[in-house]
Amino acid sequence: MDTVNHQLNKAQLRRTLLKKRQSMSIWEWREKSDRICFHLQNSTLFNQAKTILAYFSFRQEPDLSPLFTNTKYRWGFPRCVNQSLSWHIWQIDDSVQSGAYGITEPHPDAPTLDPKEVDLILTPSVACDYQGYRLGYGGGYYDRLLSSPEWLTKPTIGIVFDFAYLPQLPIEPWDKPLKNILTETGLTPQD
C-alpha cells in the first residue's frame, strides 16, 4: 500500500474511533472504565508492580483515576516536553496543570521518575489490534518512548474500550507492539 493512502487510512480510522469514543454516554464511559479498573486490579502484572506509569483521561479515554488513590503504588504521569514525555511522580493531592494539547499533567516541579524504577506502563491508545500494535494520536510520543533502550523491556498494557480492539491496524516499520491489551472484557497477553 502506498504511503499516502496508508496515512489517510490511519487518520481516517483515528477520526472514526475518536468520534465513536466521544459519543459514548457518560454512564457507559464510567461503567466500562470501572470494569477496566476491576480487571487491572485483578491482574498479576498490576499487583506485582510498585511504580506504574499511567495517564489522565482525555477525550473520554478509559478513566483509571479510581486506582490513583491506592497508595500501595507509586504513580508516574507524563508531561510533554518538546518531542518527548517526561515522567513525574504524582500523588492524589498534588497539583496538576493543563499541558500540551490541553492534556492534564503533573506540575513541572514534581519529582521525576527514572526508567529503572518503573515496573509497568499503562498506555493510552486510540485503538489496539490483536497483534498488540496501537494507534495513537499521531504525535509519536509513545512510539519514541517505547522504542528507546531504557523502556524497551518494560511490561506494557494498552488500555482501550472493546470497540477499539481491532483485528488489524495499519502499522509502520518502527511501530513496537505492546505486551498486553486490556479492555472492559479483560486482559489479553500478546505473546
Side-chain angles (χ1 to χ4, degrees):
M1 189 193 291
D2 66 82
T3 316
V4 175
N5 279 337
H6 186 68
Q7 290 305 337
L8 276 174
N9 285 352
K10 247 180 158 170
Q12 207 171 357
L13 185 62
R14 184 181 289 119
R15 263 199 312 277
T16 307
L17 290 165
L18 285 174
K19 207 174 200 164
K20 182 163 179 158
R21 194 169 75 191
Q22 289 178 276
S23 69
M24 291 169 81
S25 71
I26 292 297
W27 177 86
E28 186 188 7
W29 172 72
R30 180 73 273 151
E31 196 260 341
K32 288 181 173 176
S33 293
D34 288 346
R35 277 199 271 159
I36 286 173
C37 291
F38 171 80
H39 291 303
L40 200 49
Q41 283 174 304
N42 287 292
S43 73
T44 311
L45 267 178
F46 186 79
N47 283 301
Q48 287 176 347
K50 289 181 176 61
T51 300
I52 300 174
L53 301 186
Y55 61 89
F56 294 113
S57 174
F58 174 65
R59 293 192 189 163
Q60 294 219 132
E61 285 170 334
D63 179 22
L64 306 179
S65 64
L67 303 173
F68 306 156
T69 55
N70 190 334
T71 52
K72 178 184 140 188
Y73 303 101
R74 263 197 340 168
W75 295 97
F77 289 87
R79 284 181 53 247
C80 293
V81 180
N82 303 322
Q83 288 302 297
S84 58
L85 296 172
S86 169
W87 293 90
H88 296 262
I89 297 167
W90 182 85
Q91 292 168 317
I92 205 77
D93 300 327
D94 292 352
S95 68
V96 289
Q97 61 184 37
S98 183
Y101 313 106
I103 300 172
T104 302
E105 51 182 46
H107 196 272
D109 298 339
T112 52
L113 264 174
D114 182 332
K116 287 193 281 294
E117 304 171 78
V118 173
D119 305 307
L120 179 61
I121 306 173
L122 304 177
T123 315
S125 308
V126 174
C128 292
D129 73 11
Y130 298 172
Q131 292 71 49
Y133 289 103
R134 72 183 278 277
L135 177 67
Y137 290 99
Y141 288 93
Y142 278 90
D143 295 328
R144 286 188 290 277
L145 178 85
L146 299 172
S147 304
S148 61
E150 66 271 37
W151 297 102
L152 262 179
T153 57
K154 301 290 178 189
T156 49
I157 303 179
I159 311 281
V160 285
F161 292 120
D162 208 43
F163 68 76
Y165 187 33
L166 306 170
Q168 198 167 15
L169 287 170
I171 58 169
E172 310 293 350
W174 57 81
D175 285 342
K176 293 274 183 285
L178 300 168
K179 298 181 176 84
N180 306 269
I181 307 299
L182 179 70
T183 75
E184 67 271 23
T185 59
L187 183 74
T188 313
Q190 303 301 308
D191 36 8

